[in-house]
Amino acid sequence: MNLNVAIVEDDPEFRYRFTEAVRAAPDLHLLDAAGCGKDALALLRTFRPDVMLVDLGLPDMCGTEVIRDANRRHPGIDILVVTMFGDDEHIVRSIEAGATGYLLKDTDPSGIVQAIRDVQRGGSPISPTIARRVLACFRALAPPPSQPADFSDTTPSVSDSRALSPREIDILKLVAKGFSFQEVGSYLGISTHTVGTHAKRVYRKLAVHSSGEAVYEASQMGLL
């Protein structure tokens, strides 16, 4: 079954680029493309997208308002932010609003299409530079350790039920750098399906629901 995709982008050139990329993909179906927040909200009243691409710099409202409305109307929808804004404030506000992934506009059209597929497989596509900023934000918010770190043992102290395998740690490290599941699979010489299976095991072990949460939790455990 084709994935239904909606696009919210005010810049005509980028809107055309994204819509043509979606139309050219045999497994994707373009529902509609909106050029402003008002039209995006109307789109959400008419359609139920599987995945929505949302720019943050809309002429009549911030894209985070569209993200909130989309999550309120259609629980379970996947929302990919595609924007020029790479600052901490926009990143945090988008995640809080319910964004599933965060890409910069220098991502090529084929990368956008692959991100749409990845997000429906349970991934959270994030541009590498954004992933570094997300980790930096989490580290800044984390409380200081209650006791000095002990570097005598290179293996983190983790309960058996939460212990990650070396392969799972390798996958998390690549995801933290912003690689998609497909790119991780190519790098490690395994299938995208196998990467997804490992990711689901990681989510279960760490009691999280997304790759972003898994990266944060693993970082707090000293695994990354």
Side-chain angles (χ1 to χ4, degrees):
M1 180 179 291
N2 288 355
L3 296 177
N4 292 316
V5 181
I7 296 172
V8 183
E9 170 59 62
D10 68 308
D11 185 285
E13 180 179 346
F14 279 108
R15 188 166 63 250
Y16 175 79
R17 185 184 304 177
F18 298 155
T19 56
E20 289 303 296
V22 169
R23 284 172 174 154
D27 55 334
L28 305 182
H29 170 65
L30 181 67
L31 291 175
D32 202 356
C36 65
K38 180 181 178 181
D39 289 347
L41 299 184
L43 184 157
L44 288 167
R45 290 193 295 269
T46 305
F47 299 107
R48 200 290 183 192
D50 296 310
V51 180
M52 195 170 194
L53 307 185
V54 179
D55 183 20
L56 297 181
L58 302 175
D60 54 345
M61 65 179 69
C62 181
T64 53
E65 295 182 49
V66 176
I67 296 173
R68 289 193 184 91
D69 186 76
N71 278 294
R72 183 169 57 251
R73 290 181 181 276
H74 308 296
I77 187 175
D78 284 308
I79 300 174
L80 286 172
V81 170
V82 185
T83 185
M84 292 187 296
F85 299 117
D87 59 281
D88 295 350
E89 181 180 357
H90 281 95
I91 296 169
V92 172
R93 287 175 61 188
S94 296
I95 294 173
E96 290 176 342
T100 319
Y102 199 109
L103 304 176
L104 295 177
K105 282 190 176 178
D106 59 3
T107 305
D108 59 71
S110 63
I112 296 291
V113 168
Q114 188 57 51
I116 293 172
R117 295 169 178 149
D118 289 342
V119 80
Q120 273 286 293
R121 293 170 183 156
S124 292
I126 303 178
S127 294
T129 54
I130 299 300
R132 292 182 67 89
R133 296 191 73 90
V134 169
L135 288 175
C137 286
F138 278 126
R139 291 191 184 107
L141 293 172
S146 57
Q147 59 184 18
D150 181 7
F151 297 101
S152 60
D153 185 357
T154 57
T155 302
S157 177
V158 185
S159 65
D160 290 341
S161 63
R162 301 185 73 197
L164 302 184
S165 69
R167 174 65 84 190
E168 290 165 349
I169 293 174
D170 288 342
I171 289 173
L172 263 185
K173 287 180 178 179
L174 292 171
V175 170
K177 293 180 179 179
F179 290 103
S180 68
F181 281 12
Q182 183 184 41
E183 291 168 333
V184 170
S186 297
Y187 184 83
L188 296 178
I190 58 179
S191 70
T192 303
H193 175 74
T194 300
V195 175
T197 300
H198 282 298
K200 289 178 181 178
R201 289 174 183 166
V202 171
Y203 298 168
R204 184 171 62 253
K205 290 179 179 180
L206 300 185
V208 298
H209 300 91
S210 70
S211 57
E213 293 176 351
V215 167
Y216 171 67
E217 186 67 20
S219 176
Q220 295 303 300
M221 295 164 61
L223 299 176
L224 301 181

